[in-house]
Amino acid sequence: MKYFSLSEFSHSDTAVSLGIDNPPPAAAVPLMVELIDRVLDPIREHWGLPIRVTSGYRCPELNEEVGGVEDSYHMDGCAADISAHDPERNVELMSLIRAMHLTGRIALTECYAGPDYKYIHVAYSPANIDESPFI
């Protein structure tokens, strides 16, 4: 965990404003570490500039409040929404992520931009890891 911490990965301004307690369960922590080490840190390393986690771990209550899907990888610690701080930069970051072809123990299974490139969602599924690159 070179560029990101577990505390920023589980922090949520929405949770704070709504009074929702959002600590990750013990089972999510290794998955969060793996996402940071094998996906987020390599992206940040290649990008060369700060990246903000806008949404990382979400407890079920928080996930419901933000309109997340019922089986969201965020609730397992396997997803993050990230931003390079503005939509134009996020377009560039999305291109870089796709060009990285993250493979190996972690295969990116989801990568898409949110509305108007306000964020980029990245996720993996430990159950579906293969050696195929995400395209």
Side-chain angles (χ1 to χ4, degrees):
M1 294 192 320
K2 183 175 180 181
Y3 297 104
F4 299 92
S5 69
L6 290 176
S7 62
E8 76 179 301
F9 193 78
S10 59
H11 173 78
S12 167
D13 290 340
T14 302
V16 171
S17 70
L18 296 175
I20 297 171
D21 196 20
N22 191 49
V29 172
L31 298 171
M32 292 164 58
V33 170
E34 200 158 29
L35 177 65
I36 292 168
D37 286 346
R38 299 186 180 272
V39 176
L40 298 180
D41 274 351
I43 290 170
R44 168 59 177 84
E45 186 77 28
H46 280 80
W47 181 243
L49 297 167
I51 295 171
R52 180 173 179 252
V53 175
T54 61
S55 183
Y57 171 76
R58 296 181 197 149
C59 68
E61 181 182 3
L62 177 59
N63 190 63
E64 185 175 334
E65 286 292 336
V66 300
V69 297
E70 190 175 307
D71 60 347
S72 173
Y73 284 159
H74 285 274
M75 295 188 299
D76 297 325
C78 298
D81 297 339
I82 59 176
S83 177
H85 304 290
D86 70 64
E88 288 182 19
R89 299 300 302 248
N90 286 345
V91 171
E92 295 172 34
L93 180 58
M94 181 77 165
S95 294
L96 174 115
I97 293 168
R98 289 186 177 275
M100 287 176 65
H101 298 289
L102 294 168
T103 61
R105 247 188 115 233
I106 296 299
L108 213 52
T109 58
E110 297 177 358
C111 184
Y112 59 83
D116 301 320
Y117 278 87
K118 291 181 182 173
Y119 64 88
I120 298 167
H121 173 86
V122 294
Y124 75 96
S125 172
N128 296 324
I129 293 172
D130 61 25
E131 296 296 322
S132 304
F134 171 81
I135 296 175

